[in-house]
Amino acid sequence: MTKLQVKAFVFQLLSFATLFILGRYLIESYTYLTGLWIPFTAFAVGTLLAPKFQAVKTNDGEKLFMKWMFLKGIKEIK
């Protein structure tokens, strides 16, 4: 794995983990879900809302891109 691929993986993991923990807390506090429904729902929310990061080899070298449902198009990170 290249340095940018590792960076993309870490960004993906941190964004998902943040949204998962936040979603789990909010679901547990404000809904009537119990048991395994709380983490399953938080997983689905985190998966859908987290931005997607990917390292791509281009003619100019390897670059890091991000796609998120709240931003239009694909953004170049580095």
Side-chain angles (χ1 to χ4, degrees):
M1 289 182 77
T2 65
K3 185 177 178 181
L4 280 180
Q5 287 175 333
V6 172
K7 197 173 192 178
F9 176 75
V10 170
F11 284 163
Q12 185 83 26
L13 181 66
L14 288 175
S15 62
F16 171 77
T18 303
L19 289 171
F20 176 80
I21 292 169
L22 179 66
R24 186 178 168 110
Y25 171 74
L26 292 174
I27 290 165
E28 193 171 353
S29 298
Y30 297 109
T31 67
Y32 294 107
L33 295 176
T34 59
L36 286 176
W37 287 107
I38 296 171
F40 287 157
T41 306
F43 173 79
V45 168
T47 301
L48 292 173
L49 295 181
K52 310 301 183 247
F53 294 91
Q54 187 173 9
V56 177
K57 292 181 183 176
T58 64
N59 292 337
D60 299 331
E62 196 170 28
K63 294 185 178 185
L64 185 62
F65 292 97
M66 176 190 77
K67 182 178 180 183
W68 197 22
M69 67 186 305
F70 299 115
L71 296 176
K72 188 175 182 180
I74 298 172
K75 305 293 179 190
E76 180 181 341
I77 303 295
K78 185 174 181 183

